[in-house]
Amino acid sequence: MRVKARAKSSNTPYPIWVYGEYITNPPMRPSDGAKRPEGHYIDKGGYPGANVYAINLDTFCRQTAAVDKNGNKVYIQDILLHETEEEIAYFIVEDEETAIDIVWGEIVETESLQTADIKVIGNTIDNPDFVKGMQYYRDNDIEIPYLPLLNTQMSEFPYLQLECTKCHNVMLSCVYMAQHKECGGFLKAGFATKVYREKEKAFA
């Protein structure tokens, strides 16, 4: 059985996301014909055996049948922004068939989320404190922020502006964080520019 998945590499200087086919009995290395040991790998395809990466199984995520509005494949543990004219919501993909609303806990079938309404904005492996942050906003009646991407470093989005609810320090970041490392307070998130002013007004 072929399993499409992604995971972070364990045999590169820095862990990188690898997408492809999950295998446990890898092909020989084409460079020297050496046999790789059995283990956990992802084969990216292309020339046989050339793009095979050992992976950290703790980061393993199966591919689902869903696709977001930008044509990105959806994987387990992805964080989805669900956006309609009436509301926004955030879902975590729990398994190949279901997703859970982070704020309210509603469980839905992934196929019930319309492709045109969902966008992959990150994942729980790279953003392990995202759920904690959203639940803090909910429990303390803080407005749920509109976040079209959790890592803005390599995108057209402006930097995130994060304000600590405890010490009131304001900082700029390219990556969403739920808590201020200095004092432990939770961070309110917004953007450093008003590019998304109309979106903010629409969901106010």
Side-chain angles (χ1 to χ4, degrees):
M1 176 176 157
R2 295 178 179 270
V3 175
K4 293 291 187 180
R6 71 165 182 225
K8 286 198 169 183
S9 61
S10 62
N11 62 342
T12 55
Y14 299 98
I16 59 171
W17 282 109
V18 184
Y19 298 76
E21 182 181 337
Y22 170 66
I23 56 176
T24 55
N25 189 12
M28 293 185 295
R29 284 195 291 264
S31 58
D32 57 11
K35 173 69 176 173
R36 294 181 174 98
E38 290 190 9
H40 303 286
Y41 298 85
I42 284 185
D43 187 346
K44 292 178 63 175
Y47 189 81
N51 297 305
V52 176
Y53 292 78
I55 59 168
N56 177 355
L57 202 57
D58 290 338
T59 65
F60 179 83
C61 305
R62 283 177 179 259
Q63 180 182 311
T64 73
V67 178
D68 78 356
K69 67 179 182 181
N70 294 324
N72 298 313
K73 293 177 172 52
V74 175
Y75 292 80
I76 292 171
Q77 297 197 58
D78 271 346
I79 299 171
L80 305 178
L81 169 64
H82 183 258
E83 181 179 2
T84 66
E85 292 183 0
E86 295 79 25
E87 62 181 359
I88 63 169
Y90 297 101
F91 288 86
I92 287 181
V93 181
E94 289 285 289
D95 54 40
E96 290 167 286
E97 297 180 352
T98 58
I100 184 168
D101 185 318
I102 294 171
V103 176
W104 304 112
E106 179 186 5
I107 298 174
V108 302
E109 293 185 1
T110 308
E111 64 180 19
S112 71
L113 300 174
Q114 299 296 314
T115 295
D117 297 335
I118 59 173
K119 176 183 177 182
V120 177
I121 62 170
N123 60 74
T124 58
I125 294 169
D126 291 331
N127 304 276
D129 60 353
F130 181 74
V131 173
K132 181 189 275 189
M134 291 298 129
Q135 291 177 345
Y136 177 84
Y137 304 146
R138 177 199 64 197
D139 295 343
N140 291 274
D141 294 322
I142 297 173
E143 182 181 354
I144 302 297
Y146 173 70
L147 298 172
L149 205 63
L150 299 185
N151 185 338
T152 66
Q153 191 169 18
M154 303 298 292
S155 78
E156 73 277 17
F157 295 110
Y159 283 106
L160 293 165
Q161 178 174 291
L162 304 172
E163 180 182 355
C164 182
T165 57
K166 184 176 180 181
C167 69
H168 303 291
N169 184 41
V170 176
M171 67 192 85
L172 298 180
S173 175
C174 62
V175 180
Y176 172 82
M177 295 180 288
Q179 287 184 281
H180 188 196
K181 293 180 180 178
E182 299 296 323
C183 72
F186 280 85
L187 297 164
K188 292 192 295 184
F191 283 103
T193 73
K194 290 300 180 183
V195 171
Y196 296 97
R197 183 178 295 135
E198 294 306 315
K199 281 288 186 186
E200 292 170 353
K201 286 181 180 178
F203 294 118

